[in-house]
């Protein structure tokens, strides 16, 4: 029995066809009313996004997000939906994607994902891929 209310606001700025910048704020309050002691979670998420288009050949996309989950009590069991899967406390996420079309049949992709959840250290993950279509 989780009831939640929230608001999302996003401001997008696109000065040219190849550049886009956006700032998004999400505020949410969720209440778990099932246990004898109800738990309230307050979430605030701020995200900045930058996208650069390479004139039909590819894109570079970077995004940084700061998330915070605050609980009103310390429950024994914390439902996933109460905090949208976020760790209690502050978390930071960084994503960088690069896609480039080498030819009509070959595409290259580079991805980076970094995260620091709660009091943990920063974890880095990267992938690279080249696809050929026959």
């Amino acid at each position: 029995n989780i009831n939640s209310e929230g608001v999302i606001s996003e401001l997008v700025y696109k000065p040219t066809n190849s550049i886009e910048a956006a700032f998004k704020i999400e505020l949410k309050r969720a209440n778990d009313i099932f246990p004898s002691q109800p738990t309230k979670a307050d979430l605030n998420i701020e995200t900045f996004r930058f996208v650069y288009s390479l004139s039909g050949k590819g894109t570079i996309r970077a995004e940084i997000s700061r998330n915070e989950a605050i609980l009103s009590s310390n429950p024994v069991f914390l439902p996933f939906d109460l905090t949208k899967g976020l760790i209690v406390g502050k978390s930071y996420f960084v994503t960088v994607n690069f896609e480039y079309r080498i030819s009509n049949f070959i595409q290259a992709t580079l991805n980076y994902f970094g995260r620091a959840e709660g009091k943990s250290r920063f974890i880095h993950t990267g992938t690279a891929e080249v696809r050929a279509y026959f």
Side-chain angles (χ1 to χ4, degrees), residues 65-106:
S65 179
R66 178 199 172 272
N67 306 323
E68 186 174 19
I70 302 167
L71 295 181
S72 64
S73 63
N74 194 5
V76 175
F77 174 72
L78 182 63
F80 183 86
D81 290 339
L82 189 65
T83 62
K84 292 178 59 176
L86 295 174
I87 302 293
V88 176
K90 294 178 186 172
S91 301
Y92 299 91
F93 300 98
V94 177
T95 306
V96 179
N97 301 55
F98 174 65
E99 294 181 359
Y100 190 75
R101 189 175 48 142
I102 298 168
S103 71
N104 287 339
F105 304 106
I106 300 173

Side-chain angles (χ1 to χ4, degrees), residues 7 9 29 34 43-45 48 59 63 67 111 126 128-129:
V7 64
S9 179
R29 173 167 284 167
F34 180 71
L43 305 176
N44 65 70
I45 301 169
F48 177 74
T59 59
E63 187 172 293
N67 306 323
N111 295 312
E129 179 180 286

Side-chain angles (χ1 to χ4, degrees), residues 93-96 111-115 122-126:
F93 300 98
V94 177
T95 306
V96 179
N111 295 312
Y112 167 78
F113 180 66
R115 72 179 195 273
F122 222 82
I123 298 170
H124 306 277
T125 306

